[in-house]
Protein backbone atom coordinates (compact mmCIF):
# COMPACT_ATOMS: atom_id res chain seq x y z
CA UNK A 1 0.00 0.00 0.00
CA UNK A 2 1.21 3.50 -0.78
CA UNK A 3 2.24 5.46 2.32
CA UNK A 4 -0.08 8.48 2.35
CA UNK A 5 2.20 10.34 4.76
CA UNK A 6 5.03 10.33 2.19
CA UNK A 7 3.20 10.24 -1.17
CA UNK A 8 0.46 12.17 -2.92
CA UNK A 9 -0.78 10.68 -6.20
CA UNK A 10 -3.18 12.68 -8.34
CA UNK A 11 -4.70 11.00 -11.40
CA UNK A 12 -6.51 13.19 -13.92
CA UNK A 13 -6.93 15.91 -11.29
CA UNK A 14 -8.26 13.68 -8.49
CA UNK A 15 -6.39 12.58 -5.37
CA UNK A 16 -6.20 8.78 -5.51
CA UNK A 17 -3.42 7.96 -3.01
CA UNK A 18 -5.61 6.16 -0.41
CA UNK A 19 -7.01 3.89 -3.15
CA UNK A 20 -3.63 2.80 -4.55
CA UNK A 21 -1.80 -0.39 -3.62
CA UNK A 22 1.26 0.24 -5.83
CA UNK A 23 2.51 2.73 -8.40
CA UNK A 24 5.52 2.37 -10.71
CA UNK A 25 6.89 4.60 -13.44
CA UNK A 26 7.74 2.86 -16.74
CA UNK A 27 8.90 4.59 -19.92
CA UNK A 28 6.66 7.69 -19.85
CA UNK A 29 3.73 5.91 -18.20
CA UNK A 30 2.61 4.72 -14.79
CA UNK A 31 1.52 1.21 -13.86
CA UNK A 32 -0.98 1.49 -11.01
CA UNK A 33 -2.65 -1.23 -8.97
CA UNK A 34 -5.65 -0.13 -6.92
CA UNK A 35 -6.55 -1.76 -3.62
CA UNK A 36 -9.09 -4.58 -3.96
CA UNK A 37 -8.75 -4.60 -7.77
CA UNK A 38 -6.70 -7.42 -9.33
CA UNK A 39 -5.83 -5.52 -12.53
CA UNK A 40 -2.94 -3.18 -13.33
CA UNK A 41 -3.91 0.09 -15.00
CA UNK A 42 -1.59 2.06 -17.25
CA UNK A 43 -1.76 5.86 -17.33
CA UNK A 44 0.13 8.28 -19.53
CA UNK A 45 2.72 10.27 -17.59
CA UNK A 46 0.87 13.54 -18.22
CA UNK A 47 -2.23 12.18 -16.41
CA UNK A 48 -0.40 11.35 -13.18
CA UNK A 49 1.20 13.67 -10.66
CA UNK A 50 3.18 11.76 -8.02
CA UNK A 51 4.57 13.96 -5.26
CA UNK A 52 6.86 12.62 -2.54
CA UNK A 53 8.91 13.76 0.44
CA UNK A 54 6.58 16.42 1.88
CA UNK A 55 7.59 19.17 4.27
CA UNK A 56 6.10 18.45 7.68
CA UNK A 57 5.41 21.71 9.51
CA UNK A 58 5.24 21.62 13.29
CA UNK A 59 1.58 20.95 14.19
CA UNK A 60 1.97 23.16 17.26
CA UNK A 61 2.57 26.20 15.08
CA UNK A 62 -0.46 28.45 15.64
CA UNK A 63 -0.35 29.90 12.11
CA UNK A 64 -2.29 27.09 10.41
CA UNK A 65 -5.32 28.70 8.77
CA UNK A 66 -8.02 27.65 6.36
CA UNK A 67 -10.52 30.07 4.87
CA UNK A 68 -9.13 32.81 7.12
CA UNK A 69 -9.81 30.84 10.32
CA UNK A 70 -7.22 29.40 12.71
CA UNK A 71 -7.44 25.61 12.85
CA UNK A 72 -7.02 23.66 16.09
CA UNK A 73 -6.47 20.00 16.97
CA UNK A 74 -4.44 19.34 13.82
CA UNK A 75 -2.71 15.96 14.11
CA UNK A 76 -0.67 16.10 10.91
CA UNK A 77 0.14 18.68 8.29
CA UNK A 78 1.91 17.80 5.03
CA UNK A 79 3.09 20.19 2.34
CA UNK A 80 3.83 18.54 -1.02
CA UNK A 81 5.58 20.58 -3.68
CA UNK A 82 5.80 20.02 -7.40
Amino acid sequence: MIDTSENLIIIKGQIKTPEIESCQNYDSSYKIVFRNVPSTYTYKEENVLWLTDPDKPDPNTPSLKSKNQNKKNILTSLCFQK
Side-chain angles (χ1 to χ4, degrees):
M1 180 162 30
I2 296 291
D3 181 355
T4 57
S5 69
E6 294 294 328
N7 296 274
L8 177 64
I9 300 174
I10 301 171
I11 301 173
K12 296 183 178 181
Q14 295 185 11
I15 296 172
K16 296 291 185 176
T17 318
E19 302 169 37
I20 296 175
E21 183 68 34
S22 67
C23 181
Q24 298 177 351
N25 190 299
Y26 288 107
D27 298 324
S28 300
S29 67
Y30 285 91
K31 303 285 185 187
I32 297 178
V33 177
F34 290 92
R35 292 175 34 198
N36 303 319
V37 179
S39 302
T40 300
Y41 293 85
T42 303
Y43 291 90
K44 292 180 182 177
E45 198 168 47
E46 61 264 18
N47 290 325
V48 178
L49 178 59
W50 187 358
L51 303 174
T52 60
D53 193 28
D55 291 333
K56 297 175 182 175
D58 181 359
N60 297 318
T61 303
S63 62
L64 193 57
K65 288 186 175 190
S66 176
K67 297 183 181 178
N68 241 3
Q69 296 178 347
N70 285 330
K71 296 297 178 181
K72 298 179 183 178
N73 300 323
I74 304 294
L75 298 177
T76 304
S77 176
L78 304 173
C79 181
F80 289 94
Q81 297 184 32
K82 187 175 178 183

